[in-house]
Amino acid sequence: MSVTALALLLTCAPALEVNVDLDAQLVGKAAVDPGRGQSHLLAGVRGGLLTPLGGGVRAGFDVGLHSELLPRVRGTTRVNSVALESTLAPRGIVGWRASWGPLALFPYAFAGPKVGVRFLFLTAFDEVRNNTHPTWALRGGGGLTFVVGRTRMGVEIGGGVGERGLESYGLLTTGLAL
Amino acid sequence: MVTRVPALVAALLLTGAGCLGPLAGPVDVEIVTRQPGAENELELQVVTVESAIDLARGEGELFTFRAGQTFYSSPFLEQAAYDDRTPEELFEAARGDGSTPDPDLYREDGVIRAREHDSLMYLSSFAHLERAMQFYRDTLDRPSTATERPPVVSFYGGIVASPILPLPVNLSDNAAYFAQADGLFVVPTVLQSEGVAPFFEPGVAVHELSHRVFEHRVFLGGDAVPLWKRATYPAGYADTTSQEDLTRVALNPERRGFNEGIADIHAVGYTRDPDLLGGVSPSGSALRNLEGPLAEVTFRDLVDANVQEDLISGCRLDAGGDNLNNRALNYYCLGTVLAIALWEASDADADVLVAEVLPRVQDGLDLLGERVAERSLESGELTFRTDDGLDSIVRAFAGHPRQADVCAAFGARYADLFAAGGVPSCP
């Protein structure tokens, strides 16, 4: 989003919604066997701005920072690899908020890139090799957030394409509207 | 901005394996294999893969890798479906779905390397199977349909009973030849912590390929094929044959043990290490070690459970019974006795084993196929006897000075079979 567009958004928005969420994200994507896939469990935080555009429609953006909490280990003590992935994902969001007093539902769609780093260490006998390399994906999807007062909870599913091919994910989130 | 975009896109694309393009042989790859020479330890080495059509997609001149390939143990449930089809048609029917492999590879200094364990397993198993094929075709100079017809190699796939009952049995911590689909399994390591995953050991590729060679040479070349079908796909014959009989033939420990012994001795011939699985399972390889605790054990000792306590438990022997009818028997122990005999017939010398003994063992398997067919047609079921196997190998040494060594080694391990006249080709 350009600086000009952000300035317009801020000056025209009568009320901004700033959210901070805690996510648990399960990503499935290709390994050597693309049919089998591989699951990655990441946790992280997201923060964003949503502005009402009228008629319940809200649009904005958020940025998520996630990392795998537990390294994925494959192999034996003599030959094995350990992998951890961390990602940064800014994205645009548009949705429609239905409110009933302190309660609200917010179904939404989103799209955006994801960039990250895969920390890979391959141990073969006495040699430890660092194979850390960047990752990327372009993703889109949808979600549904439940709002009670300032508290937010939600689910999200999405998919896209990255440097290892197709990937899909599901996410649970909880957070606060500031 | 416009000129920077293509560079950005290129940079993003370059993070993916797809930038390697087709990897046709000869191509240098880094794998886990044994050091050449006296050290003979497992380590990372760069080798040249010759037969790849596209290594990044599992395509080779000698075999094809399919990721997650499913094999069916019973592709059909009707006997007529088996009676009406050739073995090749049954193998095709027993292969289910698989995917094009997508290993995580990169190129460094002209060498293709793996970023992580499973991709390293992929490269290593591809290279080891190529060398196993070359061992049979070139070193032993004994090609067969098993080394001329490319098999499918299932990478991290599983077994399903039948297409109409698609509940998979996922394999782990092992390696296998699957006779029903005439295919090979490279299996993921899940529980194993010591040693290395099996297919990192080059001898394992030779061992599994040797099972394919045994199946093709002994059963698929002649008149025993209809009875081989009954033993290999018993579910298709359950309406006309008792489950007891089907199971007895399918699980025949003499046949399976002999097959394992042949596979082990060929692996030892390739690796030149009698402790075949020492690198895979340092604490659990003793019963397959040709210079291990089974070194002084005979065939009759195992059948009668006349061995020390740890071998009774390790070989799962029934202390009171006839162990050739013991379904719990660890038939690998029978195989080790055979492999030890052939090792001793080679003066425990890998050069002698490879140059003189193994080629004639291969010739003996062809003769064994004829004998199995004769016996099976007489009995009406696939019939395999250890003494037929031994005699066939001895016959293959006719006129060769090492025949006497083979007879002596077999005689020491199989004295009761010799006494019963089961190996008439030995004086």
Side-chain angles (χ1 to χ4, degrees):
Chain A
M1 181 180 286
S2 70
V3 172
T4 307
L6 180 59
L8 280 171
L9 191 68
L10 290 173
T11 54
C12 295
L16 286 178
E17 184 178 307
V18 180
N19 304 306
V20 177
D21 300 305
L22 189 64
D23 296 337
Q25 181 184 153
L26 188 65
V27 181
K29 59 183 177 178
V32 176
D33 174 8
R36 183 168 59 104
Q38 194 174 73
S39 299
H40 305 248
L41 183 62
L42 295 91
V45 294
R46 277 184 303 127
L49 279 174
L50 288 172
T51 185
L53 299 180
V57 177
R58 293 178 182 238
F61 68 94
D62 66 13
V63 180
L65 181 64
H66 297 86
S67 185
E68 285 184 277
L69 297 181
L70 297 175
R72 283 169 288 116
V73 181
R74 300 284 289 179
T76 65
T77 52
R78 298 210 72 202
V79 180
N80 61 75
S81 60
V82 179
L84 263 180
E85 186 167 350
S86 296
T87 64
L88 182 73
R91 58 187 193 173
I93 301 171
V94 62
W96 178 75
R97 180 175 170 124
S99 302
W100 302 274
L103 305 176
L105 282 177
F106 181 59
Y108 60 92
F110 66 86
K114 181 187 72 169
V115 293
V117 179
R118 185 175 297 131
F119 301 96
L120 267 174
F121 298 95
L122 177 65
T123 298
F125 309 103
D126 296 327
E127 183 178 345
V128 180
R129 191 174 292 174
N130 178 354
N131 284 293
T132 297
H133 66 102
T135 67
W136 63 270
L138 297 172
R139 306 195 298 183
L144 180 64
T145 302
F146 302 85
V147 181
V148 180
R150 287 187 179 277
T151 305
R152 294 156 47 86
M153 290 171 290
V155 295
E156 193 175 285
I157 57 173
V161 61
E163 92 288 357
R164 294 286 300 161
L166 297 176
E167 63 178 66
S168 58
Y169 79 95
L171 179 152
L172 296 174
T173 184
T174 186
L176 291 175
L178 300 181
Chain B
M1 185 66 181
V2 173
T3 56
R4 281 202 294 274
V5 168
L8 175 62
V9 171
L12 290 173
L13 287 173
L14 282 172
T15 61
C19 70
L20 291 177
L23 294 176
V27 56
D28 290 339
V29 301
E30 183 181 57
I31 65 170
V32 173
T33 188
R34 291 197 177 217
Q35 297 169 338
E39 290 290 334
N40 207 19
E41 297 292 327
L42 290 167
E43 65 170 12
L44 280 179
Q45 275 188 38
V46 176
V47 301
T48 302
V49 169
E50 305 279 354
S51 65
I53 297 172
D54 187 354
L55 179 61
R57 295 173 58 82
E59 297 169 9
E61 295 170 8
L62 301 178
F63 43 77
T64 299
F65 271 60
R66 295 288 291 168
Q69 173 83 49
T70 298
F71 291 149
Y72 301 122
S73 55
S74 304
F76 305 106
L77 295 178
E78 301 294 328
Q79 180 175 336
Y82 294 96
D83 291 342
D84 294 343
R85 286 172 171 81
T86 65
E88 290 70 34
E89 290 169 335
L90 292 174
F91 297 151
E92 189 61 39
R95 296 171 191 155
D97 295 330
S99 305
T100 301
D102 185 22
D104 196 354
L105 308 176
Y106 65 104
R107 192 192 307 272
E108 182 181 73
D109 300 326
V111 176
I112 302 301
R113 304 176 196 267
R115 291 191 197 278
E116 49 79 46
H117 173 275
D118 292 346
S119 300
L120 180 60
M121 169 58 69
Y122 169 81
L123 289 180
S124 302
S125 55
F126 196 107
H128 291 326
L129 278 170
E130 176 185 91
R131 278 152 177 74
M133 288 284 202
Q134 290 166 345
F135 180 66
Y136 268 95
R137 294 162 71 157
D138 302 330
T139 307
L140 300 184
D141 192 21
R142 291 296 188 274
S144 64
T145 53
T147 58
E148 300 305 306
R149 291 182 194 160
V152 171
V153 183
S154 172
F155 189 87
Y156 290 13
I159 296 170
V160 171
S162 153
I164 66 169
L165 191 67
L167 300 176
V169 174
N170 288 321
L171 307 178
S172 72
D173 304 284
N174 212 322
Y177 166 71
F178 193 67
Q180 289 87 334
D182 194 33
L184 296 159
F185 273 112
V186 179
V187 173
T189 298
V190 176
L191 302 174
Q192 178 187 350
S193 62
E194 65 167 3
V196 300
F199 247 101
F200 281 136
E201 163 57 69
V204 168
V206 174
H207 176 101
E208 300 307 333
L209 181 62
S210 295
H211 285 317
R212 188 180 198 233
V213 171
F214 189 93
E215 203 79 7
H216 280 239
R217 282 197 187 276
V218 177
F219 301 119
L220 295 179
D223 297 334
V225 166
L227 296 167
W228 166 86
K229 290 180 187 177
R230 188 183 294 262
T232 305
Y233 307 98
Y237 297 84
D239 289 343
T240 56
T241 306
S242 78
Q243 193 63 52
E244 175 68 25
D245 285 343
L246 288 170
T247 304
R248 174 176 51 77
V249 176
L251 301 182
N252 181 303
E254 281 194 77
R255 185 182 78 245
R256 299 167 95 193
F258 200 94
N259 194 339
E260 294 298 340
I262 294 296
D264 276 358
I265 194 61
H266 283 77
V268 170
Y270 181 80
T271 63
R272 313 175 68 83
D273 183 355
D275 186 12
L276 162 66
L277 295 179
V280 173
S281 179
S283 67
S285 67
L287 295 181
R288 307 286 287 280
N289 186 347
L290 304 194
E291 295 176 351
L294 285 166
E296 303 300 324
V297 170
T298 69
F299 179 77
R300 180 49 55 185
D301 288 339
L302 286 177
V303 173
D304 294 343
N306 184 26
V307 294
Q308 60 207 51
E309 193 60 39
D310 59 338
L311 290 182
I312 290 180
S313 64
C315 295
R316 296 198 297 270
L317 300 176
D318 180 351
D322 175 8
N323 281 282
L324 290 183
N325 289 310
N326 169 16
R327 295 214 183 135
L329 171 70
N330 180 358
Y331 50 85
Y332 287 88
C333 294
L334 294 176
T336 302
V337 170
L338 173 65
I340 289 171
L342 288 167
W343 182 238
E344 289 179 347
S346 308
D347 301 328
D349 184 327
D351 290 333
V352 173
L353 178 65
V354 172
E356 298 182 33
V357 174
L358 293 183
R360 285 165 186 82
V361 169
Q362 289 294 303
D363 298 338
L365 294 183
D366 290 335
L367 299 173
L368 177 58
E370 295 169 7
R371 185 71 63 84
V372 166
E374 287 169 17
R375 296 258 194 219
S376 303
L377 291 174
E378 283 172 15
S379 68
E381 63 182 30
L382 194 69
T383 302
F384 185 96
R385 290 169 39 160
T386 301
D387 51 5
D388 285 341
L390 301 175
D391 191 62
S392 299
I393 291 174
V394 173
R395 284 166 56 206
F397 279 86
H400 192 279
R402 197 153 288 274
Q403 188 185 49
D405 300 297
V406 175
C407 284
F410 282 174
R413 304 280 161 189
Y414 300 91
D416 57 324
L417 299 182
F418 274 60
V423 191
S425 299
C426 284

